[in-house]
Amino acid sequence: MKINFYNEQKECLTTRTLETGDVILLVSGGHDFEMLEETEMIEVKQGPYAGVEDKERFEPAG
């Protein structure tokens, strides 16, 4: 899986490729994922999920 990391101004800071067994901690800013192959992942979120209002959407890096 490829992940792009963004700052608070929605500027792409860096891109990384995650492999089986990798773990990431997202603290601030934004992110997007591109699945490079069949993928299973677990996401743990603090607090309740408020549906689509819970996320801010913007155009991912090319």
Side-chain angles (χ1 to χ4, degrees):
M1 157 172 50
K2 184 173 89 170
I3 181 169
N4 295 311
F5 296 95
Y6 299 86
N7 62 16
E8 298 293 334
Q9 292 73 41
K10 302 178 185 174
E11 300 165 327
C12 187
L13 299 173
T14 189
T15 300
R16 297 285 189 262
T17 300
L18 303 179
E19 304 287 341
T20 300
D22 286 348
V23 175
I24 58 171
L25 173 63
L26 304 169
V27 178
S28 65
H31 62 277
D32 68 48
F33 296 118
E34 178 184 345
M35 301 310 167
L36 303 173
E37 60 186 49
E38 187 75 21
T39 303
E40 290 185 23
M41 65 183 236
I42 298 172
E43 178 181 15
V44 178
K45 178 178 172 37
Q46 181 178 350
Y49 175 63
V52 294
E53 297 81 31
D54 192 47
K55 304 290 181 190
E56 180 179 349
R57 308 272 184 207
F58 60 95
E59 290 299 314

